[in-house]
Amino acid sequence: LAPLSFKTLFASNVDLLGLSIPTPVFYFLGIGIIASFILRRTGFGRHVYAVGGNETAARLSGVNVNRVKVIVFAASGLLAGMAALLHAALVNQGSHIDGNGYELNAIAAVVIGGTSLMGGVGTVVGSMIGALTLSILDNILGLRNVQSEYQAILKGIIIILAVIIQRQRR
């Protein structure tokens, strides 16, 4: 079992204005605000969009593409570690297989949020809205006892529909 301080830091509740709000909500909002600020208000954020949109054009424009990729992948690893800590505190244990299958959820969330699979288009806020939408959908399907295989099929269909809608907009 994890120590109480670990659970308090990552999976407790904060009483705010008469509401008991889980601490993961604050991590979600805080990281979202920081990421959104970096991507929208810094030169590095513009470089990330440039590399995602057209790597060759970004390189020819003077962007250090390899550096941008290393920083983005390092940030991705850091955030995956943070997600693992939040999950481990929530379920009061950790396992190397706990995140299996979450890749589909991540892809579905960002696509629902308006991020293009072709790159260079999307927002953090849109991805956050997509993640919330997908969480609500997961919760509803879980409460209705829909089998996990059918849930995965539904998520795949949602991704396909979102990609079709994005292509028609272009």
Side-chain angles (χ1 to χ4, degrees):
L1 288 175
L4 182 60
S5 59
F6 177 74
K7 193 147 179 83
T8 301
L9 184 62
F10 293 111
S12 62
N13 290 326
V14 174
D15 291 323
L16 189 66
L17 302 172
L19 298 172
S20 182
I21 302 171
T23 52
V25 170
F26 295 105
Y27 286 104
F28 177 74
L29 294 174
I31 291 170
I33 289 168
I34 292 167
S36 184
F37 176 81
I38 290 170
L39 287 175
R40 297 184 81 198
R41 304 283 184 197
T42 67
F44 175 74
R46 286 187 288 279
H47 289 175
V48 170
Y49 277 110
V51 170
N54 187 335
E55 187 176 325
T56 304
R59 181 176 284 111
L60 294 174
S61 297
V63 175
N64 187 340
V65 172
N66 289 334
R67 190 188 93 202
V68 170
K69 283 182 172 182
V70 167
I71 293 170
V72 168
F73 281 121
S76 176
L78 176 72
L79 294 174
M82 182 62 131
L85 290 172
L86 291 166
H87 180 73
L90 184 65
V91 297
N92 210 23
Q93 68 176 0
S95 173
H96 65 287
I97 60 169
D98 274 350
N100 283 353
Y102 284 6
E103 306 87 4
L104 182 62
N105 287 355
I107 294 168
V110 296
V111 169
I112 290 169
T115 300
S116 171
L117 292 178
M118 300 299 147
V121 176
T123 64
V124 173
V125 173
S127 295
M128 291 172 72
I129 291 169
L132 288 172
T133 303
L134 194 63
S135 295
I136 292 168
L137 178 65
D138 277 345
N139 196 8
I140 291 169
L141 294 175
L143 290 172
R144 296 283 182 196
N145 292 325
V146 175
Q147 293 178 359
S148 61
E149 295 84 12
Y150 294 123
Q151 289 183 26
I153 291 169
L154 180 60
K155 289 174 192 172
I157 291 169
I158 289 171
I159 292 171
I160 292 168
L161 290 174
V163 169
I164 290 169
I165 291 169
Q166 286 177 6
R167 289 204 173 197
Q168 287 179 346
R169 286 184 182 172
R170 286 188 172 186

